[in-house]
Amino acid sequence: MAEKIKEAKKTQYFAKLKGCPSSPRKMRYVVDMIRGMEVNRALGVLRFSKKAASENVEKLLRSAIANWEAKNDRKAEDGELYVSRVFVDEGVTMKRMRPAPQGRGYRIRKRSNHVTLFVDAKTNDK
């Protein structure tokens, strides 16, 4: 079974970002903007987005493109690659205390997330 998974991963081109210190909800707003887009257009959208999470996703997308180029031993042409799948999972939540009135403490949850981004080449039949 492990050998089948290894063989399947050789034909997939992806990059992972783990432990990114922003909430998964904020990251999903950014990821939803680029899902299914052509790679160069997605880089432009991320470049000019006002969201802070877009910097991390842009870096991740560049990494996925580099992974595709390394596995195929050639540069990607314009319009060849697109974002096939991208999803955000919840990461570790750090729990902190904040002083509150009358000696109480309120809990603060500092969330993190994991992003996985897949790129794929467009074929002629699509």
Side-chain angles (χ1 to χ4, degrees):
M1 188 66 183
E3 293 298 322
K4 287 182 184 177
I5 293 171
K6 272 187 188 177
E7 289 300 317
K9 283 198 175 184
K10 286 182 182 177
T11 61
Q12 294 178 344
Y13 313 101
F14 62 95
K16 288 184 179 181
L17 172 66
K18 292 192 166 205
C20 182
S22 70
S23 72
R25 183 176 180 176
K26 291 176 185 175
M27 186 63 81
R28 282 187 191 109
Y29 284 129
V30 175
V31 163
D32 289 342
M33 288 192 297
I34 65 161
R35 186 174 283 123
M37 261 190 202
E38 190 268 322
V39 164
N40 291 331
R41 186 162 178 240
L43 285 172
V45 167
L46 292 170
R47 182 84 173 165
F48 295 106
S49 174
K50 291 182 181 179
K51 300 279 186 187
S54 65
E55 293 175 15
N56 293 326
V57 177
E58 181 184 357
K59 190 173 179 181
L60 183 69
L61 181 56
R62 289 185 190 279
S63 176
I65 294 167
N67 291 342
W68 185 91
E69 290 173 348
K71 283 187 178 180
N72 289 310
D73 295 327
R74 64 185 181 94
K75 286 284 189 188
E77 298 171 11
D78 271 355
E80 184 178 9
L81 292 179
Y82 73 102
V83 179
S84 60
R85 286 191 301 160
V86 58
F87 52 89
V88 179
D89 297 323
E90 190 171 339
V92 178
T93 301
M94 295 190 297
K95 289 155 178 102
R96 300 289 182 261
M97 295 301 287
R98 177 182 208 145
Q102 298 181 359
R104 288 190 295 260
Y106 292 156
R107 180 177 278 181
I108 296 175
R109 294 188 306 256
K110 297 191 174 196
R111 300 174 188 268
S112 67
N113 62 61
H114 308 311
V115 185
T116 308
L117 191 142
F118 289 83
V119 295
D120 204 0
K122 292 181 182 176
T123 57
N124 293 334
D125 57 296
K126 285 186 180 179

